[in-house]
Amino acid sequence: MAEQASPAAAPVRKRKPRLPAIEYIRGIAMMGVIAIHVGSQYLMNQTANIHLIALLEVASRFSVPIFFFISAFGLFYNLDIHEPLNYRAFMKKRFRTVLIPYIVWSVFYLVHDGLFYRVGLPDPLHFLTILFFGTAKYQLYFLVILIWFYLLMPLWIAIVRRAGLISLTLLFIAQIAFDYWSSFSVPFNTFVYGLPDHSWLKPFLMYRLNYWVVHYIFIFVLGGYLAVHIHEFQNFMQKYRRAVTVFFWAALVWLVAYYYQLIYETGYTALEAINTAHQLCPAGLFYTLASSIFFFTIFTYQKYPKVLNPILHQLGRHSYFAYLVHPFFITYVSVALQKSGHLMTAPVTIVYYFVILGLSMFAAAVCRKIGEHLPLLNEWTIGVYPRKK
C-alpha cells in the first residue's frame, strides 16, 4: 500500500528586519512626556522663565502623537494587510500588553493617591468611569486611546490598504479642521462647559481628548501606511534627508514662534500660551508630522554619534515602564523640594527633570530585572511575558 503524501506545510512568513528607529523614538517620546509634566510643575513658579517653558512644554509636544505613530508602525510592519486579520487573537495579545497594565497602574495610582492625599477610594461605579476616561493619573489616558485604536484595527487596515498620497493629504487637512474645531470652537466649548455638572453628557465631552481617537487618526494611519510601504519610505528618507531636516526645524520654529506671539502680542500667560500652542493646533500638527519623519530618518541613517545607540536602546527598552511610573516620582521629589525650601527656579527645574528621568529609568530597569525571576511583575506592569521555550 502506497504511503499517503503528507499535506504541505503552510509557508511561514518571515519577520522583517528589526528597526532600531522604532525603539529609539519610543525613548525620545518618553523623555518628551516627562518634560511636559516637569514643565507643569515649573509653571507653579509665578516668575517662571518663558524660554525654559518653551523647551519643556512646546518643543516636546510631538511626544504623545509620535507614540501613536510608532505604535501603528510597529503593528503594521509585520502585518500582511491583504490577509484576513485574526481579530480575536490580535485583541487577546493587545489586551495582555496594554489593558492589563492599564488596569494595574490605574489601581496603583488610585490607591496611592487615595492614601497620599487622604481622599479615599472611589466607589465601584466611579471606578469604572475613571477607567473608561483614563483619569486615574494624568498620563494614563494615552493607553485608553491606544486601546480604542486596537479595537478599531479592521478599520485602520481598510484605510491603509486604500491609502495613497492624495487620500493622506486630504486626511491631514481633515485632521487640522477637526482638531481646530475640538480645541478652539467657541460655540462648542461654550456648550460643553455650560452643561450642568449632573449631566451624563458632560464628562463624555469634557474628557473627549482621553478617548476620541479621531484626534490622532492621521498620525496613526500615516504610521501604518509607511510601515506597509517601508521600502519606499526608506528611499524617501535617504533621498530627501536634508529636506526632512529643514521641514522639522521650520515646523519647530513655527510652533515656538506661535507660543511667543501668544505671550508678547496677544498678552497670554505662559499657561494660556501652552494650552493654545499644543499638538492639536495647526502648527502642532505640522510639527508632529515633521518630527515623526525626522526622528525616523536620523535614527535610520545614523547622522549622530553611534556611541549614543546603547543609551537610546536603554531609553527605548524601558520607556513603557518609565512613562507609567514617572508621576509617582514627580510627587515625592516635589514634596522633598518643598520640605527643603527649594523653589522651582530654572536651574532647579533642569536638575529636577534629570532626577525624575533617572529615577524612572532606574525603577524600570530594576523591575524588569526582578520580573525575570517573578514574571508576574513584568506581565502586570508592562505586558511582557516570558518567551515560550
Side-chain angles (χ1 to χ4, degrees):
M1 185 175 179
E3 291 184 359
Q4 279 189 321
S6 60
V12 178
R13 188 168 180 266
K14 293 182 179 179
R15 289 184 65 86
K16 294 179 181 178
R18 175 179 169 272
L19 298 177
I22 296 177
E23 182 179 66
Y24 297 170
I25 292 174
R26 284 196 187 102
I28 295 296
M30 175 271 293
M31 293 177 66
V33 170
I34 293 178
I36 292 172
H37 296 152
V38 166
S40 298
Q41 299 295 314
Y42 181 48
L43 277 166
M44 296 179 185
N45 183 343
Q46 298 297 319
T47 59
N49 185 306
I50 62 170
H51 309 301
L52 181 56
I53 291 175
L55 176 63
L56 295 172
E57 292 278 353
V58 181
S60 59
R61 282 292 163 174
F62 67 87
S63 304
V64 171
I66 210 172
F67 264 132
F68 294 121
F69 174 83
I70 289 302
S71 297
F73 202 105
L75 286 175
F76 279 88
Y77 182 59
N78 283 299
L79 179 71
D80 188 339
I81 62 172
H82 300 293
E83 293 182 357
L85 174 70
N86 187 336
Y87 186 72
R88 182 176 180 179
F90 173 82
M91 290 307 304
K92 181 180 178 181
K93 182 178 180 181
R94 303 306 156 187
F95 279 169
R96 280 157 55 96
T97 56
V98 177
L99 182 61
I100 291 176
Y102 169 65
I103 294 174
V104 168
W105 283 98
S106 295
V107 171
F108 169 78
Y109 280 113
L110 286 172
V111 173
H112 171 269
D113 291 358
L115 295 173
F116 185 84
Y117 297 108
R118 299 180 181 179
V119 295
L121 300 177
D123 60 74
L125 182 60
H126 189 203
F127 173 69
L128 292 176
T129 303
I130 289 171
L131 283 183
F132 181 84
F133 292 117
T135 54
K137 205 64 177 179
Y138 47 75
Q139 89 285 22
L140 293 177
Y141 78 95
F142 164 78
L143 298 184
V144 175
I145 301 180
L146 197 56
I147 291 170
W148 279 105
F149 270 120
Y150 291 156
L151 287 168
L152 297 170
M153 191 62 181
L155 174 62
W156 314 132
I157 291 175
I159 292 175
V160 169
R161 190 182 292 153
R162 295 167 175 79
L165 181 59
I166 295 177
S167 59
L168 285 172
T169 302
L170 293 175
L171 182 60
F172 184 58
I173 294 171
Q175 187 74 81
I176 294 173
F178 177 83
D179 287 352
Y180 189 88
W181 169 81
S182 179
S183 299
F184 304 112
S185 170
V186 174
F188 174 65
N189 284 282
T190 300
F191 167 75
V192 172
Y193 285 96
L195 290 170
D197 291 338
H198 62 269
S199 170
W200 66 268
L201 181 61
K202 189 167 187 175
F204 284 92
L205 296 179
M206 285 286 292
Y207 296 118
R208 62 189 180 276
L209 294 178
N210 292 29
Y211 72 103
W212 281 12
V213 296
V214 69
H215 288 105
Y216 297 102
I217 281 181
F218 169 76
I219 199 64
F220 189 87
V221 169
L222 179 66
Y225 177 82
L226 294 179
V228 170
H229 300 86
I230 181 62
H231 298 301
E232 294 89 337
F233 183 37
Q234 288 171 333
N235 291 336
F236 171 85
M237 289 188 290
Q238 193 169 27
K239 184 176 181 180
Y240 297 104
R241 189 164 53 210
R242 183 170 297 178
V244 166
T245 302
V246 171
F247 180 38
F248 168 77
W249 288 110
L252 174 59
V253 168
W254 180 17
L255 183 60
V256 172
Y258 181 42
Y259 161 79
Y260 283 119
Q261 179 190 12
L262 291 170
I263 291 177
Y264 289 119
E265 293 187 10
T266 312
Y268 278 21
T269 64
L271 178 60
E272 291 170 334
I274 64 169
N275 285 336
T276 304
H278 51 61
Q279 68 268 25
L280 299 183
C281 73
L285 286 169
F286 274 95
Y287 182 48
T288 294
L289 172 60
S291 299
S292 301
I293 306 301
F294 172 73
F295 284 118
F296 217 108
T297 301
I298 63 169
F299 290 143
T300 298
Y301 292 102
Q302 299 276 309
K303 288 300 179 180
Y304 59 90
K306 291 187 178 181
V307 70
L308 295 177
N309 284 344
I311 299 174
L312 290 167
H313 167 68
Q314 292 302 319
L315 287 169
R317 184 170 189 262
H318 298 300
S319 60
Y320 195 12
F321 191 101
Y323 173 88
L324 293 167
V325 80
H326 76 270
F328 175 82
F329 291 114
I330 283 179
T331 298
Y332 287 98
V333 174
S334 297
V335 169
L337 279 176
Q338 292 173 3
K339 289 184 176 180
S340 65
H342 286 87
L343 297 176
M344 286 285 285
T345 60
V348 169
T349 300
I350 294 172
V351 174
Y352 178 95
Y353 170 79
F354 285 104
V355 168
I356 299 300
L357 176 62
L359 288 172
S360 301
M361 287 292 296
F362 178 75
V366 169
C367 287
R368 187 70 173 262
K369 193 68 177 178
I370 295 174
E372 294 177 2
H373 305 282
L374 297 172
L376 205 62
L377 180 62
N378 283 339
E379 292 170 12
W380 283 15
T381 58
I382 54 176
V384 170
Y385 292 75
R387 292 183 179 179
K388 295 181 180 180
K389 295 182 181 179

